[in-house]
Amino acid sequence: MSARHIELPTRARAGDVVCAAESVVLTRGGRALLDDVSLEVRAGEVLALLGPNGAGKSTLLSVLSGDVSPDGGVAKFGGKPIADWSLGDLSRRRSVLLQDNQLLFPFTVHQVVEMGRAPWRRTPFEDEDNEAISEAIASADIGHLGNRRVPSLSGGERARTAFARVMAGRTGVLMLDEPTAALDLGHQEAVLGLARERAAAGDAVLVVLHDLNLAAAYSDRIALLRDGKIAACDVPDRVLTAEIVSDVYRTPVEIIPHPVTGRGIVMPKRGA
């Protein structure tokens, strides 16, 4: 296929809806994993998906990325049903980091990151490959691992390699499923700081997190799921209240303001 036959993406304006779920339903084994879920993801924001285990966070991200088709409702990207997009067109518009990154083939770290540039082959953006790969490797702090084979890496090093592959794609939408799960404190902060930078530059970032305090610190909006439904969706201070969090997670919590930022810190209530 020649470059002139590839429809290149145009950049969304801040606040534009880039993808959306509209009354989405997904059922497996007689159980509703998603039940009438509607959600918009906008350019220029970090939107965090939170909720207890099994709430539907990863499932919703998979539907919005086009990896899973809903049983009811519709998932849209760029204003049209995701099913109407080719896989190639989607891959140039959104980058997806899955929760289960089994990078077990004996590729080097550099080769894995290079895979993030595959959608841009035979397009004018192919000229950015070297710059994008180098920038992604540096941003994920894996420059010293470039020639290492992926199976020899620690879990955290593999996670950072997978994150660098996604960053190298330079798409306008990042969909990250638990990108901080295997990372130490410093790299958690670095990864979400980069997500924050991408949103500030106009990209849309959808991220599944378990850590409520990381979500409070780095997101513009939070969608809190419970039992396949959205229990709350708003700015962090309006979602992460003691009443809402205690109810959704079925455990009592208290909210303490951060001494510098003022953002709420969620703490389990414990006895003296």
Side-chain angles (χ1 to χ4, degrees), residues 129-221:
D129 282 1
N130 290 336
E131 178 187 72
I133 291 167
S134 296
E135 183 180 274
I137 286 174
S139 67
D141 190 26
I142 54 173
H144 59 296
L145 303 173
N147 293 321
R148 287 270 301 275
R149 301 286 174 180
V150 169
S152 73
L153 303 179
S154 70
E157 289 168 341
R158 290 184 194 182
R160 281 150 51 203
T161 298
F163 178 72
R165 174 185 55 79
V166 168
M167 293 292 286
R170 288 187 172 180
T171 62
V173 181
L174 288 177
M175 297 183 170
L176 311 173
D177 195 351
E178 296 194 36
T180 62
L183 302 184
D184 58 39
L185 180 62
H187 287 112
Q188 288 180 7
E189 294 289 321
V191 162
L192 291 178
L194 287 167
R196 179 76 263 150
E197 289 177 11
R198 290 289 294 265
D203 294 340
V205 180
L206 179 67
V207 56
V208 173
L209 292 171
H210 269 296
D211 190 315
L212 279 64
N213 293 319
L214 284 175
Y218 286 100
S219 64
D220 296 293
R221 287 191 300 142

Side-chain angles (χ1 to χ4, degrees), residues 23-252:
S23 302
V24 162
V25 174
L26 185 70
T27 305
R28 293 290 184 270
R31 175 173 173 258
L33 302 184
L34 296 174
D35 186 1
D36 194 27
V37 171
S38 295
L39 184 70
E40 294 181 340
V41 183
R42 303 166 189 156
E45 74 166 359
V46 176
L47 172 58
L49 300 181
L50 300 182
N53 293 334
K57 305 180 297 295
S58 296
T59 303
L60 179 55
L61 184 143
S62 295
V63 169
L64 288 168
S65 70
D67 290 336
V68 174
S69 297
D71 299 314
V74 63
K76 291 184 176 181
F77 199 100
K80 65 181 183 180
I82 288 182
D84 292 349
W85 291 95
S86 71
L87 182 58
D89 283 335
L90 271 180
S91 69
R92 287 181 286 274
R93 287 162 174 80
R94 56 96 177 105
S95 298
V96 183
L97 178 66
L98 298 176
Q99 180 180 352
D100 187 16
N101 278 288
Q102 292 296 325
L103 301 174
L104 300 179
F105 293 102
F107 296 113
T108 67
V109 166
H110 191 279
Q111 287 172 329
V112 170
V113 179
E114 189 176 10
M115 292 175 189
R117 297 301 301 169
W120 302 110
R121 289 174 186 160
R122 297 183 293 274
T123 78
F125 294 104
E126 190 174 28
D127 295 339
E128 299 180 5
D129 282 1
N130 290 336
E131 178 187 72
I133 291 167
S134 296
E135 183 180 274
I137 286 174
S139 67
D141 190 26
I142 54 173
H144 59 296
L145 303 173
N147 293 321
R148 287 270 301 275
R149 301 286 174 180
V150 169
S152 73
L153 303 179
S154 70
E157 289 168 341
R158 290 184 194 182
R160 281 150 51 203
T161 298
F163 178 72
R165 174 185 55 79
V166 168
M167 293 292 286
R170 288 187 172 180
T171 62
V173 181
L174 288 177
M175 297 183 170
L176 311 173
D177 195 351
E178 296 194 36
T180 62
L183 302 184
D184 58 39
L185 180 62
H187 287 112
Q188 288 180 7
E189 294 289 321
V191 162
L192 291 178
L194 287 167
R196 179 76 263 150
E197 289 177 11
R198 290 289 294 265
D203 294 340
V205 180
L206 179 67
V207 56
V208 173
L209 292 171
H210 269 296
D211 190 315
L212 279 64
N213 293 319
L214 284 175
Y218 286 100
S219 64
D220 296 293
R221 287 191 300 142
I222 291 173
L224 184 60
L225 283 83
R226 175 179 56 188
D227 299 329
K229 295 177 179 288
I230 293 182
C233 184
D234 209 325
V235 296
D237 288 346
R238 293 180 181 173
V239 173
L240 299 181
T241 67
E243 180 181 4
I244 292 174
V245 175
S246 297
D247 180 51
V248 169
Y249 285 86
R250 298 181 173 91
T251 190

Side-chain angles (χ1 to χ4, degrees), residues 8-31:
L8 296 176
T10 56
R11 191 160 189 82
R13 296 170 299 180
D16 284 353
V17 175
V18 295
C19 60
E22 297 180 0
S23 302
V24 162
V25 174
L26 185 70
T27 305
R28 293 290 184 270
R31 175 173 173 258

